[in-house]
Structure formats: structure tokens, C-alpha cells
Amino acid sequence: MMQNFKKLSPNHFHSACKAAVALGLTMSASPVFAQEIPADDETGLQEIVVTAQKRVENLQDVPIAISVLGSEGLENRNIQSLGDLGDGAIPSLRVAPFFSRPGALIINIRGVGVLSDSNQPARDQGVGVYVDGVYLGRAQGLGTALYDVENIEVLKGPQGTLFGRNTEGGAVNIVTKRPSGEFKLDATFGVGNYGSYKAEVHLDVPEVNNISLKFDGILTKRDGFVENPFPGALDYNSFDKRGFRAEVQWKPSDRFRANYAFDVSYDATSTNYLQLVEAPVGLPATATAPAILPNRLSALPIVQPRRASRTPVGTPQQASIGKTNGIRLGLDWDATSNLTLKSISSYRNMQQTQYDNAINIPSLQQPLTAANPTGSFVNFQFGRYSIAPFDQDQLSQEFQVIGDFDRLKFAAGALYYQENVEDAAQAFNTLQFTDAAGTVAVLRQINYATQTIQRASRVKTTSIGAYGQATYTPPIAGDAFHLTLGGRWTRDKKVGELFTINGAPPVIPVNGVNRVGPVPLNASWSRFDPLVNLSVDASEDIHIYGKWSTGYKSGGANSRSLNYAPFNPETVSMFEVGAKTEFWDGRARLNIAAYTGRYKSIQLDFFGLYEDVVNGVRVVTTRTTSDTVNAPGTGKLKGFEAEFNLAPVDGLTLSASYAYNSVKIPATLNPFPQTGGVFITVPIPIYQVYTPENVASASIDYELPFEGFTLKAHLDGNFNDGFYGNYTDSEYDPVTRAVRYAQLKGEKALIFNGRLSVADIDMPDSDAKLTVAIWARNLFNNQHLFYKSGAPRSGVQGFFNEPRTFGIEAKIKM
């Protein structure tokens, strides 16, 4: 049955979807970006509840920039993991895979927080991801399937006071649904194109002796988008995600609650496909620089300017498997009517294997050299397989005191966090050409397990912190003014070592003598992050505020480097003004914010030549490595955000949001030589990666109730004007100081998603409700090269976005 469904014509589905959605859109509009609570007046927008300040509050009363995507919004957009937020549902939030690896995610907010190389045990991201108050310390594991989510809160700008370390860009706060103490069953089953299927079950057990139980299970799988013709190998960009979560809640009184949760997940993915989209052209000679000859390409059709459905040659490819599990114990005690004490204890473990063969096709080119003037491909090795296992465990304990008095509200607490991480990496070629044209390939007879471990490191991170934040409402102007002051002290310590380089202990020259042995890391940093916020209730429905806050991303060391030298934390100081407004009797809501800030000690990665050790002597080879430096001077941040929601008639909701984010990074000196061994002797311009300047999203939602069921329609559109990829090897003219192909910008994108459902169908002789829905992501099959890199000698390569996916699903609720 699934095979037949997979063969449905996209054009047939496209036509049917356009007709069905058009029928609903004669009245329609967009998705609700939050978990909503029904209001007394059902004709207006619903109240959005958030926990951004450690307490339950109305979004409109919280004087910071927050976007919220609730459970219905996640369902409407068919979001199954954080990676699906990469289409721009929340404009200031950018989510992307670490290069070709969907099992590790890059996350930034307002262009801040980017970690372009996630395979670094001693490095951190600058956007904190939290699930039920527990910080997730690694980029690996973030691609797992989401459980029964209440809402996803995106807090924009530095959150150094209440959330602490590694929140210089902001925080993503995921809140799951708790046990209800009543019997509830929510089961969803669906199938789609590319052989996809999904099964999701959520079960609440009735309360017995003050104990409630909740169980969540999910299974979702999809075949790859790009066929890999190698026998027995996975296609590119497939996934197989599974997860189970159980939570028990003990509530012996109205004033005390204990929640214990356990979760385990499995996330198997295959690498994304890197395409060569433009052939190398070289560069002509100038008065100061020789001509750059383009490489000779394989005679296979390796230049693929449009999104490919099949690779020109197959390569070995197996699943990268992430396994995570964890426990959480939360204790909440209302000591008095004004004072709540909380404790959050957690332990988590993660193992991630990584098998990456993404760069296979773009590498099928041969430099023209004196030794090989014709560019013959005889004995040319390719199919570079990068294998990088990654292990992590973390322990955290946080205590909170929450106070709520007549004129004073406060939150204070302390956190202990400890993490152990170890990685290793090896890369080797799996295939070889036997002919001069580069068309006949054979598998190299090698043992993967005995290939050289080219780097390995381990690190232990310990962080402690204490914080406090209080809001005072003075008895003036009708209690319209609210002053918030806060601060957090944090101390981070990282102890570790780079213990393997190219299969042997590192050899580091010290005072002219080679020192053999692990390169140690022993560094610590202390920080104080303050916050000042003044808000004014201009009326019951208009609130304005001004906020200054700071945050930081922890320092560390780069395990791809040779010296493993520590680099310092990067910091953000940001001033923000905003307004939160409601009007037209609660039918319209407009929230806006503008900000400016300083960005210091920005952690930048540069790539260069790899140094090896031969007979105890360090020599330069052609293998690449990277190093991380703190950019000199001060970068600049500025931007504007707006979110608008409108409910003009019953059942219809229109939503629109926009973000302009500008990041200016000081020009920085590249520590590595470039093509031809030339050092760039002047600082070069750097563009922030994974950060479009302009992003917009709009959506339409319509509900039309009938006797015994409700018709629901949803359509959203998401635009961004493209972002820069990582800095790569460039061609440099030392006289004109021209740096060419240093960074390339991806293409603009406009993606539509849609969903049409017949919901809450009454089932005979039962309290059960049935919902049947069809959905589509990238409805009109837009294709764009979202990530680009390259050089004149080797051409332009990049990743295309995902093609249209669609499916049908049924949900039973009891």
C-alpha cells in the first residue's frame, strides 16, 4: 500500500491541494504561534501562556520579545523535530543541519549563537535549548523526534540572567504536556510520499492514590530524497526516528507536586547530498598574480545545477545513529500563597555515530600539475568517508525560589552542571577510478575498523551559577510602571585533552623541542550578566518596555586544530525596546521589538593546511584542519521584529511575522595560508553564517464547524533572502587585496506548507473523535540552494532544500 502511495503523481496532489485549500481560503488565514487558553470572549484571539520568567504568565504581560509555537501550530506545519523549524516558522530563529549531518543542528537567534562546527567536545552553541527546564548541552541529539509538546517558546536576545550560560542569542524553551490525571488517548497514524510513515500515541492514565501516569511513543520514518546507486547503501537524506517517554506525577496535596520522567530515543539519519552546481572556471592572470587553472572534472555528469534525484556514482553510506536517554525529577512546593520552591534534577546520556559521505561528487576533479599535466584519473581515490563517533553525558541540578507579592515579583536560584564529552574522527577514501576519464570505479578493499584515527579528544565541563531577578511596581501612576533588575554569576571550567592526531600522540614544539603526548586543556572563566528592564502599561491593552541585557557563549578549544589552544568566551550586550498591543476588542494583536547591540570576542573558524608528523618532525600535508580565533574589536547587532495576529470573523485567524537581523563582524586575519601557500596579511571581511537579513512568515487558519465534525484549513508561507555559508579557502591577490570566493551566499527561498482536515468527527456509540487530514510541506516544490561554497579552482557546490513532501493521516482522540 505504501509503495503505491509513494507513486502518486505530485502534480495530481498539487492540483487537488490547490483546489481544496482554495475552497477554504475564500474565507481563510494563518497559524496560531502559541499554546492558547480559551478566553471568556470566544470571538477574539486567545490568551497565550508562557513560562519565560520561571512562572506562568500571559505573553502580552511579559516585557521581552518571545515567539511561541503551540501544539496546533506544530501539527499544522507537520513539524516532527526541531530541524523542521528551518523553513522559518519563527523568523528570528534559524535552524540548520551541521553541514551535511541532520543529526546535529546549528541554532541561532537574531544571527547570534552560531556554532558552525558542532563536532567539538570543548565548544558550545550560543542558543540554549531546554526541555522542561533541563538544558541540553550538545548539538547532537537535537534532531530527535519531539514528544507531546505543549509549546515551543523562543526567547529572543541575551537570556544570561534567568537561563545562564550559552544563551547570548536567546533560548528555545520546550514545554511538554504533563499527566492530566484523567483517561486520555491520542493516537495518530499516517503515510506519505518517499515511503514515509508515522505512528504516534499519547496515553494518560486516571489518577490513583494521587499518582498520575502519562506515556508517549513515536515512530516516524522516511526514505531518502536522492538515490544512491551503490548496492546496499542508504539513499541521501533519509531518517528513522523512534522515541518513548513516561512520566509519573505524585500530587499528595494542592501545594506539592513531584514529577519523574524518563525518555529514550533513537535517531538514524543519512547524510544530506552535496552537489557540484557550477564547474570550475579558474581565474585569469593579473599583473600581480598568476592565472588559476580550473581542475579537470571526471567525465561522469557530476555538474548538477538543479536539485538532483540520483547521484552520478554510488558510494558506501550507512545510517548515523543517535541514541539518547535521560531522567528528570521535578519538585514543586507552594510554601506559602506567595512563595514557591522548585527543584529540577536531571541526568542525560547521548551516543552519536556519524557516517558522512556528502562531499563525494564535488571531489571528482583532478588538479593539473607537472606530475599529471593531463589530469588523468587512473588510481584516483574518492568517496571520502568521515566517521566521527561522539559520546556525552550530563548531570544538572537547579534550585529555584519564586515569589509573587503585591508589588514585588522575583525569581532566584542556583545551578550546577557537569558534562563529559569524548569524540574521535577518521576519514578515508572508499572508492578508486581505474580509467583516465574517471568513469569506472571500484571499491577499495580496506578495513574500516583499522583506519587511522586522525583526531580524538575529551573534555569535562563544570559550571556553577547563581541568579536573581526581581520586578517592583511602585505605587505611582496607577501602578503603570514596572522596574526589573537582575543578575547572574557563572563560573565555567573545562578540563580535557587532545590525545590523538593522525593515529599517534600529538607532537608539539615547545621552545624548539618536540613534546610528545596529549595536549592539555585547563581553562576557566567567570561572568556576571546583568539585566535592567523598565516597562509601562500605557493602557490595559498597550504595554511598552525597554530592556538591556547581556549573555555569553562559553570559551573552549578546537579539537580540529593542532595546538588545542583555548579561546575566550564571546559576549553580547543588547538594548531592546518593544511594544505589546491588543485592539479591536481583542481581535487584533501587534507585538514589535527593535534592538541594537555589541558583539565581542566572536569565535570564528578558519580552515587551512593540515600539519602531520613524520619521524618526529612536523611537516605540512594537503589535509585540511581548522582553528578558532576570537575576532578583534567589536561587532554590531541591530534588528527589528514584528508579529501580527488578526481574527476578523469567527473561525478565521490571520498571522504574519517579520524579522530584520543585521550582524557586522570585524575584519579578521586568517591564521592559515591560502591557495599556493600565500598568507593573507590583512584582515579579511567575514559575514555571519546561517543568518538571512530578511525573514517573513504568514499564515491563514480557518475553522468551520458542522454537525458532528469541523472543517479546518491551514496555509503558511515562509520567505528568507538567503544566508552566507562558512568561510572557505580563497584566492588572494596580495597587491589588490582582493579576496575572491571567501564566502558565498545561498539563494532566496519562498516555501509554502498546508494542511486540510476534517476534525473531531463524532464516532458512533463512543466518546472518541476522529480527525482525517492531508498535509504538504514545500507545497509548490520550490527548490533553492540554501548553502553555497566554492572557489575558482574547484567550482561551486552546495545543498538544496528538501523537495515537496505530502501525506495523509488519521487521529483518534478519546
Side-chain angles (χ1 to χ4, degrees), residues 445-724:
Q445 300 302 308
I446 56 177
N447 185 342
Y448 289 5
T450 61
Q451 298 304 299
T452 299
I453 302 295
Q454 287 154 339
R455 62 178 174 87
S457 66
R458 63 176 67 95
V459 67
K460 177 180 179 180
T461 297
T462 304
S463 179
I464 56 175
Y467 63 90
Q469 180 172 306
T471 300
Y472 175 65
T473 301
I476 58 174
D479 297 342
F481 289 84
H482 313 281
L483 176 64
T484 301
L485 300 176
R488 185 184 192 112
W489 173 83
T490 307
R491 184 177 188 273
D492 291 340
K493 183 175 179 63
K494 294 186 177 181
V495 178
E497 59 182 6
L498 177 66
F499 58 90
T500 298
I501 295 179
N502 206 34
V507 179
I508 305 296
V510 178
N511 297 325
V513 178
N514 284 336
R515 177 186 177 276
V516 180
V519 183
L521 170 67
N522 190 341
S524 60
W525 305 269
S526 293
R527 281 276 306 176
F528 180 77
D529 288 297
L531 173 143
V532 179
N533 190 319
L534 177 62
S535 62
V536 180
D537 301 330
S539 72
E540 183 179 353
D541 297 321
I542 300 176
H543 311 278
I544 59 176
Y545 68 91
K547 185 187 77 164
W548 173 68
S549 61
T550 67
Y552 78 99
K553 178 166 70 177
S554 181
N558 186 334
S559 60
R560 292 186 189 273
S561 70
L562 292 172
N563 56 19
Y564 206 49
F567 49 81
N568 289 321
E570 67 176 41
T571 65
V572 169
S573 173
M574 185 174 290
F575 178 69
E576 173 184 318
V577 294
K580 298 193 171 185
T581 68
E582 286 190 349
F583 47 96
W584 196 15
D585 295 327
R587 289 184 176 274
R589 179 181 297 144
L590 174 63
N591 295 341
I592 59 175
Y595 65 89
T596 182
R598 295 180 298 170
Y599 199 7
K600 292 186 175 181
S601 301
I602 305 169
Q603 296 168 9
L604 299 177
D605 289 348
F606 288 94
F607 295 85
L609 296 176
Y610 181 84
E611 292 182 285
D612 200 354
V613 179
V614 178
N615 297 325
V617 178
R618 297 181 67 172
V619 298
V620 174
T621 72
T622 57
R623 181 169 176 78
T624 57
T625 187
S626 71
D627 210 347
T628 303
V629 300
N630 292 107
T634 300
K636 296 180 180 180
L637 305 167
K638 64 179 180 180
F640 173 79
E641 297 156 337
E643 293 187 358
F644 178 66
N645 298 275
L646 177 66
V649 296
D650 293 352
L652 178 64
T653 305
L654 307 174
S655 299
S657 53
Y658 168 77
Y660 166 75
N661 296 301
S662 173
V663 182
K664 302 298 183 184
I665 299 175
T668 304
L669 192 67
N670 187 343
F672 290 107
Q674 298 301 285
T675 301
V678 177
F679 278 92
I680 300 177
T681 57
V682 296
I684 59 176
I686 300 293
Y687 301 98
Q688 183 64 301
V689 298
Y690 297 100
T691 304
E693 276 200 343
N694 296 282
V695 186
S697 180
S699 60
I700 303 172
D701 284 281
Y702 185 69
E703 296 187 10
L704 183 62
F706 290 89
E707 184 68 30
F709 69 93
T710 300
L711 178 66
K712 296 184 178 182
H714 168 88
L715 180 70
D716 65 77
N718 309 277
F719 168 82
N720 77 79
D721 60 359
F723 58 78
Y724 284 95

